[in-house]
Amino acid sequence: MNLIDRYLACWNETDPEARAKAVAELWTEDGTYTDPLADVAGHAGIATVIEGAQGMFPGLVFTPGELYDAHHHTARFTWHLGPAGGEPVAVGFDVVELAADGRISKVYGFLDKVPS
């Protein structure tokens, strides 16, 4: 499973224990997540943001978008949020910085399309 698949799996994981485990495996202990709606650090903070997004958009799932690019220790990619197999209600663009061990140290998220 590649980085984007693992990342989106975290965002789609609804079981709190499984989500906490997935976040801990993917992010460094001091990892950060920043977007227009959140600015958190650490596994608990990241898991809480994910839980909040799921609460705002129950039943919707994150899927990979069209763009993926990476070099050195940085990757960027787009994602969609919507009903499984349906039209996305939100589209975003994330930039991810990786630590030496391959885990995520920082995520900078941008929202390109949001529900009105």
Side-chain angles (χ1 to χ4, degrees):
M1 187 180 298
N2 70 32
L3 174 70
I4 297 172
D5 292 336
R6 293 175 56 215
Y7 180 79
L8 295 177
C10 283
W11 284 88
N12 288 328
E13 181 55 66
T14 57
D15 177 80
E17 287 183 27
R19 182 174 48 245
K21 182 176 188 265
V23 167
E25 290 173 354
L26 191 58
W27 267 272
T28 60
E29 289 78 8
D30 59 349
T32 62
Y33 177 85
T34 304
D35 72 13
L37 307 173
D39 187 9
V40 298
H43 294 162
I46 294 165
T48 298
V49 167
I50 293 170
E51 182 177 14
Q54 291 176 356
M56 289 174 57
F57 303 103
L60 301 184
V61 294
F62 288 91
T63 56
E66 301 78 28
L67 174 73
Y68 175 79
D69 190 22
H71 63 79
H72 297 89
H73 61 276
T74 307
R76 64 182 179 144
F77 55 90
T78 53
W79 51 263
H80 298 163
L81 174 65
E87 188 69 26
V89 299
V91 175
F93 180 99
D94 287 2
V95 177
V96 176
E97 187 175 314
L98 301 176
D101 67 2
R103 291 188 297 164
I104 295 171
S105 61
K106 295 179 180 166
V107 175
Y108 302 101
F110 297 86
L111 303 174
D112 297 322
K113 174 186 171 185
V114 294
S116 49

